[in-house]
Amino acid sequence: MAESGRCLNLCIVGDVGIGISSFIRTYLNATGARRLDATIENAVVPIILDQGDEAPWQARFIDNFGNPEFSKLRQASLCVAHVVFLCFRMDAQDTFTRLKDIWLPAYWHSGSAAPVFLVGLRSDLCNQGNKVSCISREKAIAFAECVGALSFLETSSFSSDSVKQAVDQALAAAHLFHSLQWQLAPQPPPADPAPMEVQRPLVDEAREMTETDVKAESTWLMHEQVNLSVRSRELDAEMLKKGLSELGLTPTRQHAFLRLDLVGLGLTSVEAVRPYGHLQYLDVSRNQLRTLQPLGALRLLLHLNASHNLLIRTQNFAAPDALETMDLSYNLITSLDDWGVHKYLRELKLRGNFIDTIGPGLRRSAELRLLDVSENYIPRIENLNDLGVRTLLLEQNRLTSLEGVGTLTQLHVLNVRHNNITSISALKANDVPRLRKLVISDNRISLIKEIEELRDFYFLVELVVQPNPVGQLPHFRAQVAHRLQNLRSLDGQMVSAENKVKADIIYGADINARKEVFEQLLPRETFVDRRLVTEEGIQASELQQFGKWGDAGPFGLPPDVTKENGGVGVRTSLQQAQFQQCMAKAWCGGVPIAGVLDLVDFAAPFVAFSVTDADLPAILEAVAEGGVEELRLGAATLSEAGVAEVLAFMAELSRPLHVDLAGCVSVVALGEHLSSLFPYEQGCSLEVAGCGLPKVLEDQLRNRGRAEEARRHAAEAKQRNAERVASYMAEQAKLEMFAADHCNADQAPPMRLPLCHPARWQEGGSQEAENEYKAYRALNPDGLKHENIGEGEEERLAWTIVQKDGSSLTLSIDELSAIQKQKDDMLKDWGYNGWDEWEGEYDAELPKPPKSPESRELPLAFETTFGDVREAPDLCGFMLWVGVMPNLDIVEEEKRMREEQDRRFELDEEERRRQQASWQHQRESWEAEWREEQKRCATLSEAACHVYEAEPKQPYRGSGQIIAHFTFIRLGSRLRGNDPLTPHTDFGLKRISEKPKPKPKKGTDIHEVIGSGIIAIEAATGTGFGLHALEVVLRNHANDDAEVAVPCGTIFQHVDWQHRQNLMVSIDYVVQVPAGKTVHKQMSAYCMNSSCACSCGNPMALTDFYCDDAQVLQDQMSVWAHFDSCFRKRT
């Protein structure tokens, strides 16, 4: 299949192992393309687009995004994409969470403007009743709308129609984006690294590289050795037999097959080709090869086609002596590498890779005649000095000019279609005198003068310009034909002699001769120029349409979007997606500029939009949720009421905010009221240049002095808040353990892990274990001591420690071996497998063995205390101290295995029964204590509910549990029975029945609409704290739409004893709930009690309490400070 250069890249983003390969395979099978492409990864297949475009197209599926081996390709993969699939498994909540936390921010930080689709895989599992817990379709649709995805696509590999419909819809969007992509301003790669949540490695890449790995450059080595996997398919004799052809003479004058075709066989290795050293032509395209190392044995190879594979390097095999042509198109290559060893190379094709620079590797390729690096990520032409290249193909890259092409003095054909080129002035006839064909379509060339300067290229006969802005100039073909007399073809159509004559007539080539003849024949008549099209007429049309002569502007005439969307002000799907993406980025604090929401500067006109009054609720909510410090609205089409709404929001915000309204015509309508409404003392600032206001007022609204001081204080407070949050998160292990031990349950949880377990040494929760260790060392300063016991033949080695009661515990060698094995099992239970590659006896003097890739790091306090855990006698002694005794079954096994044992003895059954009885007693004591605590907690809850909850109860409403929980915390997290209930006022809470909340400025308060029965809460869920920590599902039972106000300070509690955070809404919300519909609303919330673990998807209930103290509601640190002070006031 001939390469067309028209390829749509579909970048598929998501975790490894969620069914992406099955998704691609299903599409290829459904379209019949599977037989044309043996590889699923990196598949490139022909497609047919119903767009009236007869040109052939291809679709490329860029997979492996989540694979750590391809981490270097992620930036380029997203930047070359024409559409992006954000994938998750419908039956796996963790894949959806990682999509939100890792892959979506990775897309944002790449700077890609490609449209996005949210894709749910394995949807068939959601149709199996209640057997599998799946992410609801409603939740996925809401998330897609929230983050600016064009739509949510639900697919299953068992339904080829669903997969084909999803891909076809994405291809249509990709084709539209491809046709508009020339408008995009050049996007340089991000200078700063992506945020930590994006860079956080996947589970299977969280490994510690050894020194040997680094020296061996294991990134590519690991990839190329994947051929050894069990799924590999190697070349066999039958394939060789079918592929050999073209019988000819070898250099030794012997007959042999000179050609071997192995196309589309799914090969992962071609090791069997080594003996065929006489081959001159080899085609191994459309396989799954990761290395070409066996081809180094083919010393006579002249032509090699290894396109459509999984290669990530160009120089991964020994160079044949006389290689002439090399095709490595559509692989995963990121660098051009050094081609100096290929002295006779004439053609090099690297189309469709991820090369971001033309390095110096081709400088010694003196015989190179054709270089194809189309469909890569190259920003400039460089390092091609004095090469004899005749054909240079640079389609679909990131070029902004033709600087550097002048060094190719032998160039005949230049193709730079589909880049970001604004000028071709760098292309000079003196530098490239033999240029015959030039393709510059799909760029941003706007001046006819640029085309006119090509007249000096005497041999230029074929030119492709359209589409470009310059092509929209009136009578463009005639203008070009007049200026470039040697042209034979323009935009794929022949320029005939008749076309050139007509063009010359337009420009008056014969006007003087005609006038002279007319005057000779009719001297008494006035000559009249009857041409319908003239040079003056063209200039007048240009001036009318574009405002200047010979310049169509950077983007030409704007498209008539009103006809497409049905009215003025109606956004296209891409514009609306861009708006939603801006909101989602603001929720995350601003991307790519932290703290900034920019609604003025856009990557291209086709995604640009103007802000209206209808957008303000979403914008202001995003600013409040994301902590945005600068809001850029520019010349937004706001009304006077809209500007006033922005000012009111600034006044209510508890922190300084800068708003840019430069050029907004409605600002001047507020006149003198603007200054009186503006919150100067709060440190806010407003840019209103170009709005028609006096210069004095403009400077006054900039509020420079107070704004800078307020921003400095806000930054300091933000830093303190971040440190407090980090301190809280460091204690999650301890808090999670407490919650697991004390939460409501039908039966007692497992006994607590012993203090010697790494889980008890995690940051923030290791104090009890450290204190116990200090007590152990106080009685055992030498730790676990070994000594000889007995005399003569009875002498034996033993280990002793002093126990808590002062008695001595002695271990035999077998018991010590048993406790060491128990220690190893304990560490494996934690997830530490650091000795998996260790063989032989432990020896502290030997170097530390490498850790297994899946090994979990030990807590810092644990490693600091016990050091190397391979032997760790101190850890074994501490295990004995906290009550972990040698397992008698292991002791017996050790005795049986010892070859030095002189005699065997039976296991002491009495000792076994004693240990079992001791363990059973501990378990019964733990369960009895747990049940008693549950009873005391239940009693406290009943008392609180009796006081604070009325009958009948409404679903997801309640106020008693939070008071019971706060009382529990205030009593030191230990109840004694009949404990007094602490009143809500002691915690600074207000009760609606006692002190009604002020009426909200917009909408109806949530308590009021729920109390009236108009709105019902169908679900409320808490997850963590901060951004979107609370999700509430509201249903409207009325026949009219409702606006539900959820004010800042509204409190939600856990429905029972979970010992997790209670949540308080952190900003004002107004939720639109259509009549008879259900709305899922995510809200940002503060954690109220820092002594409890984060919520993790727990059900919540709306309470009748609220907090309206502005000082408390400033930030998370202030909320914790307030309630911690309340909890410390013990009754």
Side-chain angles (χ1 to χ4, degrees):
M1 180 179 59
E3 306 291 1
S4 67
R6 295 177 179 267
C7 184
L8 300 179
N9 296 321
L10 283 73
C11 183
I12 305 179
V13 178
D15 286 350
V16 175
I18 61 175
I20 292 177
S21 295
S22 298
F23 173 85
I24 299 174
R25 185 180 295 107
T26 301
Y27 175 77
L28 298 183
N29 289 334
T31 57
R34 185 73 174 93
R35 57 186 176 81
L36 300 175
D37 204 306
T39 180
I40 298 300
E41 303 167 301
N42 195 38
V44 182
V45 296
I47 56 174
I48 298 175
L49 295 173
D50 297 329
Q51 305 287 344
D53 192 343
E54 298 180 356
W57 286 83
Q58 298 179 119
R60 182 181 189 182
F61 294 87
I62 304 176
D63 191 3
N64 287 313
F65 196 90
N67 193 323
E69 297 172 19
F70 300 94
S71 59
K72 291 184 178 181
L73 300 179
R74 290 173 186 168
Q75 171 71 23
S77 298
L78 287 169
C79 290
V80 303
H82 296 107
V83 68
V84 176
F85 278 171
L86 296 176
C87 298
F88 67 96
R89 268 177 49 179
M90 298 285 290
D91 62 324
Q93 175 65 43
D94 61 323
T95 65
F96 187 67
T97 301
R98 289 173 59 79
L99 180 68
K100 294 190 293 184
D101 295 344
I102 297 180
W103 302 127
L104 180 61
Y107 163 73
W108 286 340
H109 280 269
S110 71
S112 174
V116 175
F117 287 88
L118 183 66
V119 181
L121 305 175
R122 302 183 67 174
S123 64
D124 55 288
L125 294 179
C126 298
N127 301 323
Q128 299 180 3
N130 296 324
K131 294 181 180 179
V132 180
S133 177
C134 291
I135 297 166
S136 68
R137 176 178 176 82
E138 293 75 16
K139 182 177 181 179
I141 292 175
F143 178 73
E145 294 175 353
C146 180
V147 300
L150 292 185
S151 68
F152 167 64
L153 306 174
E154 192 173 356
T155 67
S156 168
S157 296
F158 291 100
S159 172
S160 58
D161 289 342
S162 69
V163 174
K164 188 175 185 302
Q165 290 173 7
V167 175
D168 288 346
Q169 186 174 344
L171 287 174
H175 183 266
L176 174 62
F177 178 75
H178 184 279
S179 67
L180 298 171
Q181 199 174 15
W182 62 270
Q183 298 182 20
L184 288 172
Q187 296 291 321
D192 299 325
M196 290 306 295
E197 62 266 19
V198 180
Q199 291 183 332
R200 184 172 57 210
L202 305 180
V203 173
D204 56 348
E205 65 176 320
R207 56 174 65 100
E208 179 181 333
M209 292 186 63
T210 64
E211 193 172 346
T212 303
D213 291 332
V214 175
K215 291 181 179 179
E217 296 183 22
S218 61
T219 301
W220 61 261
L221 188 60
M222 185 190 312
H223 169 74
E224 294 178 358
Q225 288 181 342
V226 176
N227 294 319
L228 303 177
S229 66
V230 295
R231 293 179 296 175
S232 64
R233 185 181 186 187
E234 297 187 2
L235 180 62
D236 57 29
E238 186 64 25
M239 297 177 188
L240 280 167
K241 182 179 179 181
K242 291 181 179 180
L244 289 170
S245 62
E246 290 191 13
L247 192 65
L249 293 175
T250 68
T252 58
R253 311 299 295 173
Q254 295 179 338
H255 286 283
F257 288 110
L258 305 181
R259 182 185 180 107
L260 177 60
D261 293 284
L262 302 170
V263 181
L265 299 178
L267 298 175
T268 58
S269 173
V270 288
E271 189 69 27
V273 82
R274 285 182 181 273
Y276 294 82
H278 49 263
L279 289 175
Q280 296 180 12
Y281 184 98
L282 177 62
D283 189 346
V284 290
S285 60
R286 298 188 179 277
N287 286 286
Q288 300 182 56
L289 300 177
R290 297 170 183 257
T291 178
L292 301 177
Q293 192 269 339
L295 305 189
L298 309 182
R299 308 311 304 166
L300 301 180
L301 193 63
L302 299 178
H303 309 283
L304 173 61
N305 185 352
S307 60
H308 300 274
N309 279 283
L310 301 176
L311 306 172
I312 63 174
R313 295 189 302 146
T314 60
Q315 307 300 312
N316 56 14
F317 68 105
D321 297 330
L323 188 65
E324 294 183 0
T325 66
M326 180 78 161
D327 190 348
L328 295 174
S329 301
Y330 296 104
N331 279 280
L332 306 174
I333 297 167
T334 58
S335 175
L336 195 61
D337 295 329
D338 189 357
W339 290 84
V341 293
H342 300 279
K343 299 179 181 180
Y344 304 102
L345 189 67
R346 292 188 295 105
E347 295 185 6
L348 177 59
K349 298 179 182 179
L350 292 166
R351 174 187 294 267
N353 283 283
F354 300 93
I355 300 170
D356 58 5
T357 305
I358 301 178
L362 293 172
R363 288 183 175 177
R364 291 185 291 173
S365 302
E367 301 298 323
L368 189 64
R369 296 295 178 265
L370 182 147
L371 177 61
D372 185 358
V373 284
S374 302
E375 297 178 44
N376 279 280
Y377 195 53
I378 298 169
R380 66 186 63 88
I381 303 171
E382 57 187 341
N383 294 313
L384 298 178
N385 303 24
D386 302 324
L387 290 181
V389 174
R390 304 297 196 270
T391 301
L392 178 60
L393 307 179
L394 278 161
E395 310 165 49
Q396 206 164 312
N397 278 282
R398 294 191 303 138
L399 299 178
T400 57
S401 74
L402 295 182
E403 294 288 342
V405 76
T407 61
L408 299 172
T409 58
Q410 306 297 317
L411 194 63
H412 291 178
V413 177
L414 176 62
N415 189 335
V416 290
R417 182 186 64 82
H418 208 82
N419 281 276
N420 297 118
I421 298 172
T422 57
S423 173
I424 58 173
S425 59
L427 188 63
K428 303 294 185 182
N430 292 334
D431 299 328
V432 192
R434 301 182 183 181
L435 189 66
R436 297 176 55 84
K437 179 178 179 179
L438 177 62
V439 180
I440 54 175
S441 55
D442 283 307
N443 281 286
R444 296 172 58 196
I445 300 167
S446 60
L447 298 174
I448 193 64
K449 182 180 178 181
E450 299 270 348
I451 306 299
E452 186 175 0
E453 290 178 354
L454 296 176
R455 64 180 180 273
D456 295 332
F457 289 88
Y458 183 78
F459 297 102
L460 183 63
V461 295
E462 186 173 352
L463 177 64
V464 180
V465 180
Q466 297 276 42
N468 261 297
V470 69
Q472 296 183 9
L473 293 175
H475 301 281
F476 171 71
R477 285 186 61 86
Q479 292 198 51
V480 176
H482 170 70
R483 287 170 168 83
L484 305 180
Q485 292 290 323
N486 294 331
L487 273 189
R488 298 178 185 174
S489 172
L490 176 61
D491 295 327
Q493 299 180 12
M494 184 180 68
V495 180
S496 63
E498 182 181 356
N499 298 142
K500 295 177 182 179
V501 170
K502 288 182 178 180
D504 289 342
I505 291 175
I506 290 175
Y507 281 85
D510 65 338
I511 190 69
N512 292 330
R514 289 165 51 197
K515 183 178 181 180
E516 183 179 345
V517 171
F518 181 88
E519 291 176 347
Q520 290 177 357
L521 296 177
L522 302 169
R524 297 180 180 180
E525 300 291 334
T526 303
F527 176 77
V528 178
D529 185 0
R530 301 185 183 279
R531 291 176 298 163
L532 297 178
V533 181
T534 64
E535 181 180 7
E536 293 76 13
I538 291 176
Q539 292 179 350
S541 297
E542 291 175 348
L543 191 61
Q544 179 182 3
Q545 295 181 41
F546 304 101
K548 58 185 72 174
W549 295 337
D551 187 356
F555 304 105
L557 293 173
D560 186 3
V561 296
T562 59
K563 183 181 295 186
E564 175 189 348
N565 296 315
V568 178
V570 180
R571 292 172 182 156
T572 67
S573 58
L574 292 178
Q575 289 171 335
Q576 183 59 27
Q578 180 71 19
F579 174 77
Q580 288 300 139
Q581 286 187 30
C582 290
M583 298 303 100
K585 293 175 183 179
W587 293 329
C588 298
V591 178
I593 306 175
V596 176
L597 174 54
D598 189 348
L599 299 175
V600 177
D601 296 326
F602 298 98
F606 68 86
V607 293
F609 57 86
S610 180
V611 173
T612 65
D613 288 3
D615 300 322
L616 285 180
I619 293 173
L620 299 181
E621 181 180 304
V623 169
E625 284 188 324
V628 172
E629 301 167 359
E630 181 179 349
L631 173 60
R632 300 175 183 172
L633 298 175
T637 53
L638 298 177
S639 66
E640 182 180 345
V643 176
E645 183 177 354
V646 173
L647 295 175
F649 172 78
M650 297 173 71
E652 295 173 358
L653 204 61
S654 60
R655 52 183 172 79
L657 175 67
H658 174 74
V659 177
D660 183 351
L661 281 171
C664 180
V665 296
S666 297
V667 172
V668 71
L670 293 175
E672 297 178 356
H673 298 290
L674 186 63
S675 182
S676 60
L677 294 173
F678 194 72
Y680 293 103
E681 296 298 330
Q682 195 170 304
C684 293
S685 56
L686 185 66
E687 178 58 60
V688 289
C691 296
L693 294 176
K695 294 295 182 182
V696 175
L697 183 55
E698 287 183 8
D699 291 337
Q700 183 180 347
L701 292 172
R702 292 186 181 110
N703 198 19
R704 287 192 174 93
R706 277 176 290 193
E708 291 177 1
E709 182 69 13
R711 282 195 289 267
R712 184 176 63 82
H713 287 302
E716 294 172 354
K718 185 176 181 180
Q719 178 63 28
R720 291 194 298 271
N721 186 69
E723 292 172 355
R724 181 65 182 87
V725 170
S727 175
Y728 167 73
M729 295 305 296
E731 298 182 352
Q732 281 303 294
K734 176 186 71 175
L735 300 178
E736 286 286 352
M737 192 176 300
F738 182 88
D741 288 344
H742 297 84
C743 67
N744 277 6
D746 295 333
Q747 57 183 3
M751 289 178 59
R752 296 174 185 170
L753 295 170
L755 291 173
C756 58
H757 197 284
R760 302 297 295 273
W761 289 78
Q762 297 182 83
E763 185 178 357
S766 63
Q767 191 60 49
E768 184 181 0
E770 291 180 11
N771 292 338
E772 191 68 24
Y773 179 76
K774 290 178 182 178
Y776 159 68
R777 294 296 292 187
L779 291 180
N780 298 273
D782 299 327
L784 183 63
K785 297 191 299 185
H786 63 275
E787 56 186 6
N788 292 325
I789 299 178
E791 298 179 356
E793 295 182 355
E794 299 296 326
E795 184 178 5
R796 59 188 175 86
L797 193 62
W799 287 261
T800 61
I801 69 162
V802 178
Q803 301 187 94
K804 297 179 182 180
D805 58 4
S807 62
S808 178
L809 175 64
T810 303
L811 300 182
S812 68
I813 188 172
D814 299 316
E815 290 171 326
L816 178 65
S817 297
I819 203 71
Q820 285 179 334
K821 287 194 173 183
Q822 288 170 247
K823 178 259 298 180
D824 292 347
D825 292 339
M826 176 185 70
L827 296 175
K828 286 184 178 179
D829 176 67
W830 165 258
Y832 180 83
N833 296 325
W835 55 82
D836 276 0
E837 299 182 24
W838 177 259
E839 296 181 2
E841 297 182 356
Y842 291 133
D843 188 341
E845 296 181 358
L846 290 176
K848 191 174 181 180
K851 293 180 180 178
S852 168
E854 296 81 16
S855 180
R856 182 182 180 185
E857 292 291 339
L858 293 169
L860 180 60
F862 188 89
E863 277 198 308
T864 303
T865 301
F866 298 111
D868 189 354
V869 296
R870 286 182 292 171
E871 185 172 6
D874 202 35
L875 176 56
C876 294
F878 186 58
M879 291 173 64
L880 296 168
W881 171 269
V882 297
V884 179
M885 302 303 294
N887 185 294
L888 295 182
D889 290 333
I890 299 178
V891 173
E892 182 184 19
E893 181 65 22
E894 289 295 317
K895 290 177 179 179
R896 186 163 45 246
M897 293 175 61
R898 281 199 304 128
E899 297 179 355
E900 301 82 10
Q901 184 178 0
D902 296 330
R903 62 186 179 86
R904 297 179 179 271
F905 54 87
E906 297 181 358
L907 178 67
D908 188 350
E909 293 293 337
E910 185 64 28
E911 180 64 18
R912 177 194 292 274
R913 285 194 294 272
R914 185 187 69 79
Q915 289 189 10
Q916 291 178 343
S918 174
W919 181 89
Q920 186 65 27
H921 175 72
Q922 294 178 16
R923 175 66 188 178
E924 290 173 355
S925 299
W926 159 253
E927 290 185 358
E929 180 184 347
W930 179 82
R931 291 193 189 95
E932 187 61 31
E933 182 179 332
Q934 292 289 300
K935 290 180 182 178
R936 291 193 288 265
C937 289
T939 301
L940 188 62
S941 292
E942 291 174 2
C945 293
H946 178 73
V947 174
Y948 290 103
E949 295 183 5
E951 298 290 343
K953 294 182 179 179
Q954 292 179 304
Y956 297 97
R957 292 287 306 275
S959 302
Q961 182 60 39
I962 189 172
I963 300 300
H965 190 191
F966 281 6
T967 300
F968 174 84
I969 298 173
R970 192 170 187 179
L971 293 173
S973 300
R974 186 172 295 277
L975 301 178
R976 296 174 177 81
N978 298 321
D979 299 279
L981 199 66
T982 306
H984 65 278
T985 53
D986 284 13
F987 303 113
L989 302 180
K990 295 181 180 179
R991 193 177 181 188
I992 293 177
S993 59
E994 299 172 355
K995 295 183 179 180
K997 290 187 291 185
K999 186 176 180 180
K1001 294 180 179 180
K1002 189 176 183 180
T1004 307
D1005 187 81
I1006 185 171
H1007 291 91
E1008 182 179 341
V1009 293
I1010 290 177
S1012 65
I1014 296 175
I1015 299 293
I1017 300 179
E1018 294 197 339
T1021 307
T1023 305
F1025 64 98
L1027 179 66
H1028 297 169
L1030 179 66
E1031 182 175 5
V1032 181
V1033 182
L1034 302 175
R1035 175 173 284 279
N1036 187 349
H1037 293 294
N1039 295 325
D1040 299 319
D1041 296 348
E1043 283 187 334
V1044 181
V1046 186
C1048 176
T1050 303
I1051 295 172
F1052 285 76
Q1053 68 169 18
H1054 282 282
V1055 297
D1056 58 14
W1057 287 95
Q1058 292 296 318
H1059 295 280
R1060 295 184 180 275
Q1061 308 161 348
N1062 297 286
L1063 298 176
M1064 181 163 60
V1065 177
S1066 58
I1067 68 169
D1068 293 332
Y1069 287 93
V1070 178
V1071 186
Q1072 307 290 334
V1073 188
K1077 300 293 184 180
T1078 298
V1079 171
H1080 294 248
K1081 181 61 179 178
Q1082 291 182 318
M1083 305 181 194
S1084 297
Y1086 294 132
C1087 158
M1088 301 176 68
N1089 34 302
S1090 65
S1091 58
C1092 294
C1094 292
S1095 302
C1096 54
N1098 305 93
M1100 308 290 288
L1102 175 67
T1103 72
D1104 291 334
F1105 303 117
Y1106 69 94
C1107 176
D1108 60 359
D1109 189 331
Q1111 295 296 322
V1112 174
L1113 297 173
Q1114 280 186 352
D1115 51 34
Q1116 180 63 74
M1117 179 178 63
S1118 301
V1119 172
W1120 278 334
H1122 167 75
F1123 286 102
D1124 286 349
S1125 66
C1126 296
F1127 296 147
R1128 284 194 293 269
K1129 298 175 182 178
R1130 303 287 173 85
T1131 56

